[in-house]
Amino acid sequence: MNLSFERAKKPLTGILTVPGDKSLAHRALLFASIANGVSRIENYPDSGVTRSMRGALSSLGVESELSEDGVLTVKGNGFFPFPNKRAVAYCGNSATTIRLLAGTLAGLGSEATLDGSEGLRRRPMGRVADPLRSMGVDVSTTPDGTAPLVFGPKPASGLNALEYTLPVASAQVKSALILAALGANGESVITEPGPSRDHTERMLRAMGADIISDGLTVRVKPCKNLRAISGKLPGDISSASFLFVAAAIVPGSDITVCGIGLNPTRTGILDVLSMMGVRIDIFNEREEFGEKVGDVRLRSNDDLNGVEIAGDLVVRSIDEFPAIAVAGAFAKGETVVREAMELRYKESDRIAAIVNQLKALGADIEEFEDGFCIRGGTLKGGVARANGDHRLAMSMALAGLREEVVVEGAEILQESFPDFEKAVKSISV
Ligand code: S3P
């Protein structure tokens, strides 16, 4: 599918909502499946990646039902091996599904195989499998450290507690290890080099787990007794980010996205756009599902400024760089991203993909091993390719609000934000 927007003839305006948060949705469903009793989760987003988690759990024998109005009901299996022994659970394109399930299978002592699409089979799994092996988990990968992941029986003596420092900040890896640690013999201590999203810690704590966060270290006591959960998922700040960037690159825009999650480990995009000179106001702050939630109003100026992004801000905006690069393409001066090597291991090699696709649109952009530098005001338009990456597809399409752009292979956006085109049109006409 090709996607192109008409150039915006006037500022973008509107008040809207976005679907529920994918990171929280994955966790709510997975944790509900190992809890006691029935969980009820409202505002559950139905997209490619959340279907991957549901499909994989269903192959393992977990029953869940999604109503037309977005209420997911999950029958908890308790902290026992999943009913379908030695099943092959297909995780599609979803790295969150395969990595969090890997930790869960380890903790439960479930024998099964986790596999996925060609794209998922290219992504590194040693970062989860290696620390799990040090706990005594019987798990194999391909010789390249990729999926399929095959889990054998739990050792008779149980799992060793883990003491581990992650080489790169990753919520997926941290979460996998926390889930395995729930089924270990003693307290595990997991440390990471930067502040990755902490949804797992918050949600499991709310379900009764004994998890203490102290700076970048998490202490996890074994816990096989999780309470069912219920509540409404906040809107996805990562989906809202595309709308914020759309409004940021069209001067004079004024949009409000209501009810989005504002967990500080996820709000890097708001800081980046503020640094670029847009005005951001947050209203109606409240708590839903144990997470901070609010309505966010963004007003753009005539100009955006180029910015430099590195360090913790990279971790707090890890999924937003394709969109940030597009904002940089319409800013004054240079936008420089450094210390973002991790982007090379996402749905695509996102550094190369951002650079190549923005070059295809005429932008002056330079690639570094750990980031890129884009000179604003140089993008002319043309044809970009999604490269099987939903965030790249949506971001490149946004450039079309300023110059003529066609994105090929844009159907991949179904993975995360099926109503993206509708949402952008609702604020741009
Ligand atoms: C996610 C964590 C991030 C992010 C991904 C979702 C999660 O990955 O890029 O889209 O839900 O835990 P890493 O933890 O590997 O950085």
Side-chain angles (χ1 to χ4, degrees), residues 60 81-82 84-87 105 109-113 151-154:
L60 294 165
F82 286 121
N84 298 345
K85 209 173 171 193
R86 295 195 200 98
L105 293 177
S110 233
E111 286 177 66
T113 296
F151 285 81
K154 194 171 187 173

Side-chain angles (χ1 to χ4, degrees), residues 24-42 44 71-76 199 202-208 226-233 289-290:
L24 288 168
H26 278 130
R27 288 163 172 77
L29 164 55
L30 177 62
F31 304 170
S33 78
I34 59 171
N36 302 319
V38 176
S39 293
R40 193 174 177 281
I41 302 143
E42 295 164 50
Y44 195 84
V71 179
L72 182 77
T73 314
V74 188
K75 212 162 137 195
H199 303 309
R202 287 169 184 271
M203 203 181 292
L204 286 175
R205 223 178 269 133
M207 295 171 79
L226 297 170
R227 290 189 288 271
I229 30 169
S230 55
K232 182 177 168 208
L233 296 178
F289 223 89

Side-chain angles (χ1 to χ4, degrees), residues 167-341:
V168 281
S170 163
Q172 291 176 353
V173 175
K174 176 181 62 176
S175 300
L177 301 180
I178 291 174
L179 286 158
L182 293 178
N185 289 334
E187 185 183 74
S188 295
V189 184
I190 301 157
T191 303
E192 39 171 11
S196 75
R197 59 195 73 186
D198 63 354
H199 303 309
T200 295
E201 298 88 306
R202 287 169 184 271
M203 203 181 292
L204 286 175
R205 223 178 269 133
M207 295 171 79
D210 187 347
I211 298 179
I212 295 171
S213 301
D214 178 11
L216 297 173
T217 295
V218 184
R219 294 174 186 280
V220 188
K221 294 234 170 82
C223 174
K224 299 186 174 168
N225 218 343
L226 297 170
R227 290 189 288 271
I229 30 169
S230 55
K232 182 177 168 208
L233 296 178
D236 194 332
I237 188 168
S238 290
S239 300
S241 296
F242 297 108
L243 306 174
F244 291 142
V245 168
I249 63 173
V250 179
S253 295
D254 182 352
I255 69 161
T256 301
V257 187
C258 298
I260 58 174
L262 293 172
N263 181 315
T265 59
R266 298 281 301 279
T267 49
I269 182 68
L270 301 181
D271 297 343
V272 170
L273 290 174
S274 297
M275 283 156 56
M276 294 182 101
V278 306
R279 176 164 173 195
I280 290 185
D281 294 294
I282 297 175
F283 305 95
N284 292 329
E285 279 187 56
R286 53 203 186 266
E287 200 169 285
E288 280 170 16
F289 223 89
E291 296 277 346
K292 192 168 147 192
V293 173
D295 303 341
V296 179
R297 180 177 183 189
L298 180 146
R299 280 175 275 183
S300 61
N301 284 320
D302 288 344
D303 285 320
L304 283 176
N305 312 315
V307 287
E308 288 189 17
I309 307 168
D312 287 354
L313 191 51
V314 171
V315 186
R316 294 179 49 245
S317 8
I318 192 70
D319 289 333
E320 275 62 80
F321 284 96
I324 289 171
V326 170
F330 297 105
K332 272 193 313 197
E334 292 182 347
T335 292
V336 184
V337 175
R338 284 286 194 183
E339 300 175 346
M341 183 75 174

Side-chain angles (χ1 to χ4, degrees), residues 35-90:
N36 302 319
V38 176
S39 293
R40 193 174 177 281
I41 302 143
E42 295 164 50
N43 200 27
Y44 195 84
D46 192 18
S47 65
V49 290
T50 56
R51 283 187 194 164
S52 294
M53 180 65 93
R54 259 188 92 208
L57 281 169
S58 155
S59 323
L60 294 165
V62 174
E63 291 174 35
S64 68
E65 215 182 286
L66 182 58
S67 72
E68 293 260 302
D69 56 349
V71 179
L72 182 77
T73 314
V74 188
K75 212 162 137 195
N77 179 60
F79 206 88
F80 299 103
F82 286 121
N84 298 345
K85 209 173 171 193
R86 295 195 200 98
V88 177
Y90 182 76

Side-chain angles (χ1 to χ4, degrees), residues 335-338 340-341 343-344 349-359 363-375:
T335 292
V336 184
V337 175
R338 284 286 194 183
M341 183 75 174
L343 295 179
R344 294 200 182 271
D349 171 342
R350 273 200 185 137
I351 295 180
I354 288 170
V355 169
N356 292 337
Q357 297 316 308
L358 285 175
K359 266 190 186 157
D364 181 358
I365 181 166
E366 190 185 338
E367 178 170 353
F368 309 133
E369 205 189 348
D370 66 344
F372 55 86
C373 168
I374 182 160
R375 284 161 204 98

